[in-house]
Amino acid sequence: MATMPKIVDPGARRRAVADAVLRVIGREGVEGASLRNVAEEAGLAIGSVRHYFHDHDELLLFTMRELSTRIDGRVRTHVDRLLDPAARAERPARVEELIGEFLALDEERRQEAVLWMAFCGAARIRPELRACAVEMETGLRDLLARVLRGAQESGALPADLDVDLECLRLSALLDGLNLRAMLEPEYVTPEAQRAVLRRHLQGLRVPR
Amino acid sequence: MATMPKIVDPGARRRAVADAVLRVIGREGVEGASLRNVAEEAGLAIGSVRHYFHDHDELLLFTMRELSTRIDGRVRTHVDRLLDPAARAERPARVEELIGEFLALDEERRQEAVLWMAFCGAARIRPELRACAVEMETGLRDLLARVLRGAQESGALPADLDVDLECLRLSALLDGLNLRAMLEPEYVTPEAQRAVLRRHLQGLRVPR
DNA sequence: GCCATTGTGGCACGACCGCGCTAAATTGTT
DNA sequence: AACAATTTAGCGCGGTCGTGCCACAATGGC
């Protein structure tokens, strides 16, 4: 009864196709991610792609979630390292490192930021994508809230800080930096982004 | 030799068509702004639209510039009022008012912000639009620089402020707020935006 | 009244799109 | 060797797209 005619892991295939989608979107934008383009990029026939995604919408949504979990996973690594009860002296530097994980500081993360922005733009029109985008941003704010509250309790940040407000402010700053790094990377360099982030964090430390 | 067969102001027509483009983009996104959709929205035949824009690219670029000059004009009003050598006591409040002009604080500006974000997304792929987007952002930074330097000279801001850095930080914050207001308007309300902006400006006033 | 100029409307072509559908190739089980 | 399930490949329909091209209407100058 356990018949296995092909030795293909469907999950791996889907992820490989999603990778092709990301490459196409990075090159031509979301509207360029047609089944034909994606199939060619993945080195597959159109019919093969459609065998794993019975819908074009499903293909895009899966790819967006794939991207979000990829980003989320990388950040989670840093968050674990940060919350590790190691020497507290290192924490300030690691906070900057953690939050910098959301910025386009190297080519890999720059590409991810570009892709994420592309999906966010598409999410305004397509409801399914919109839900995914909101989840991601909410997760980002929650993560920032935990970090800021942790720093508050350890005395690194003033106790009377309005954490919710600061989370919105900081997350908006990060998104804005990514948006601009996407449009004018020659101006918003990694160094500039780091300087802005450092200045912002330093601005949090002074009592209001 | 001065023949005028029709009593149509071409400029007004082009602007009317651009308005239709903006309505369509607001409803369906940039990719929905096809000649057919735009013509129908404008109540014209597709041939008529093509009489005033011999290219689809030109239609989009003209519409983007139209939007940018519209935003720019509204801001320029506030900037003139701000630089008016009236009572200096009012200035801090007016600075907040001026910068708030870039935020989605009412339905009109929210719609403009959505449209601008849509164009910025499209600008990553299409070079002509990209140039327009960069011009706009550069203009925004220059404007912020003039305002901040003015406040610096009048003593409202610390003299050792890194104005260029703060302009990038502030402009990124504004863009990020607009992006999020576009995706989750129920969370990023006008009041929340105002609170973030006020907090940010207050953070500029404390000496570093 | 005539005409050149300008605006309007629309047809048709080739390209691309998603998707329903079918056929063939592949491969472990029997 | 024969089979059934899975994977791969692809045809073709109906639709939308931008655009080249043409016919016709409107209108002010002669």
Side-chain angles (χ1 to χ4, degrees):
Chain A
M1 58 179 299
T3 60
M4 294 172 71
K6 267 294 174 62
I7 40 168
V8 174
D9 176 17
R13 262 279 198 263
R14 283 167 71 94
R15 261 175 277 124
V17 175
D19 264 339
V21 173
L22 291 178
R23 287 195 298 273
V24 173
I25 290 181
R27 211 184 320 122
E28 315 175 36
V30 177
E31 67 275 13
S34 69
L35 289 180
R36 286 167 176 83
N37 290 348
V38 168
E40 191 186 15
E41 175 73 30
L44 299 175
I46 302 180
S48 299
V49 174
R50 296 184 52 206
H51 182 253
Y52 295 98
F53 302 93
H54 64 345
D55 221 31
H56 184 247
D57 284 354
E58 186 197 332
L59 173 63
L60 244 58
L61 181 58
F62 178 85
T63 305
M64 187 175 183
R65 291 211 176 275
E66 178 70 16
L67 178 64
S68 83
T69 58
R70 181 183 308 180
I71 297 175
D72 200 64
R74 202 195 43 226
V75 171
R76 205 163 296 272
T77 300
H78 279 259
V79 108
D80 291 344
R81 210 187 310 169
L82 179 74
L83 297 183
D84 180 38
R88 293 202 164 189
E90 300 182 24
R91 281 205 173 179
R94 288 209 169 149
V95 167
E96 195 177 316
E97 202 184 336
L98 164 66
I99 298 179
E101 203 65 32
F102 289 101
L103 288 177
L105 294 180
D106 57 27
E107 199 41 49
E108 182 197 358
R109 278 175 288 179
R110 184 182 131 71
Q111 189 64 9
E112 280 182 1
V114 165
L115 292 168
W116 187 252
M117 284 293 155
F119 274 110
C120 282
R124 181 175 70 94
I125 300 298
R126 319 192 196 200
E128 337 88 66
L129 301 190
R130 190 166 175 276
C132 183
V134 171
E135 284 174 29
M136 182 74 164
E137 308 282 13
T138 304
L140 169 59
R141 270 196 302 267
D142 289 349
L143 175 62
L144 293 179
R146 272 191 296 156
V147 173
L148 292 191
R149 270 188 238 279
Q152 225 175 7
E153 287 165 8
S154 73
L157 289 183
D160 64 344
L161 208 65
D162 185 341
V163 174
D164 287 333
L165 183 72
E166 294 299 345
C167 283
L168 177 56
R169 187 161 76 106
L170 180 51
S171 62
L173 180 76
L174 296 175
D175 278 354
L177 277 178
N178 280 333
L179 182 66
R180 309 185 86 93
M182 174 181 96
L183 285 176
E184 27 184 4
E186 64 283 348
Y187 184 81
V188 186
T189 61
E191 294 76 29
Q193 297 179 63
R194 253 188 271 262
V196 168
L197 177 58
R198 182 166 298 126
R199 163 69 175 111
H200 194 87
L201 294 179
Q202 175 253 334
L204 289 180
R205 281 192 285 273
V206 308
R208 59 177 318 270
Chain B
M1 57 176 301
T3 59
M4 296 171 71
K6 267 295 176 61
I7 39 168
V8 174
D9 177 15
R13 262 276 199 265
R14 283 166 72 92
R15 260 175 278 122
V17 174
D19 264 340
V21 173
L22 291 178
R23 287 195 298 274
V24 173
I25 291 181
R27 212 185 318 122
E28 314 175 37
V30 177
E31 66 275 12
S34 68
L35 288 180
R36 285 167 177 83
N37 289 349
V38 169
E40 191 186 14
E41 176 71 31
L44 297 175
I46 178 173
S48 299
V49 174
R50 296 185 52 206
H51 183 255
Y52 294 97
F53 301 93
H54 67 346
D55 221 32
H56 183 246
D57 284 354
E58 187 197 330
L59 174 62
L60 244 58
L61 181 58
F62 178 85
T63 304
M64 187 175 182
R65 292 210 176 275
E66 178 71 16
L67 179 63
S68 83
T69 59
R70 181 184 306 181
I71 298 175
D72 199 65
R74 201 195 45 228
V75 171
R76 205 164 295 273
T77 300
H78 279 260
V79 107
D80 290 345
R81 209 188 310 170
L82 178 75
L83 296 183
D84 180 38
R88 292 203 165 187
E90 300 183 23
R91 280 203 173 181
R94 287 209 171 149
V95 167
E96 195 176 316
E97 204 184 333
L98 163 66
I99 298 180
E101 203 65 31
F102 289 101
L103 289 177
L105 295 178
D106 57 27
E107 199 41 51
E108 182 198 357
R109 279 175 286 179
R110 183 181 131 72
Q111 189 64 10
E112 280 182 1
V114 166
L115 292 169
W116 187 253
M117 283 294 154
F119 274 110
C120 282
R124 181 175 71 93
I125 300 298
R126 318 191 198 203
E128 338 87 68
L129 301 189
R130 190 166 174 277
C132 183
V134 171
E135 283 175 28
M136 182 75 165
E137 308 281 13
T138 303
L140 168 59
R141 271 196 302 266
D142 289 349
L143 175 61
L144 293 179
R146 271 191 297 157
V147 173
L148 292 192
R149 272 188 236 279
Q152 225 175 7
E153 286 164 8
S154 73
L157 290 182
D160 64 343
L161 210 65
D162 184 340
V163 174
D164 287 333
L165 183 71
E166 294 300 344
C167 284
L168 177 57
R169 187 161 74 107
L170 181 50
S171 63
L173 180 76
L174 296 174
D175 278 355
L177 278 176
N178 279 333
L179 182 67
R180 307 185 88 93
M182 174 181 97
L183 285 175
E184 28 183 4
E186 65 284 348
Y187 184 81
V188 186
T189 60
E191 295 76 30
Q193 297 179 62
R194 250 188 274 263
V196 168
L197 177 58
R198 181 167 299 125
R199 163 68 175 110
H200 194 86
L201 294 179
Q202 175 253 333
L204 289 180
R205 280 192 286 275
V206 308
R208 62 179 314 273

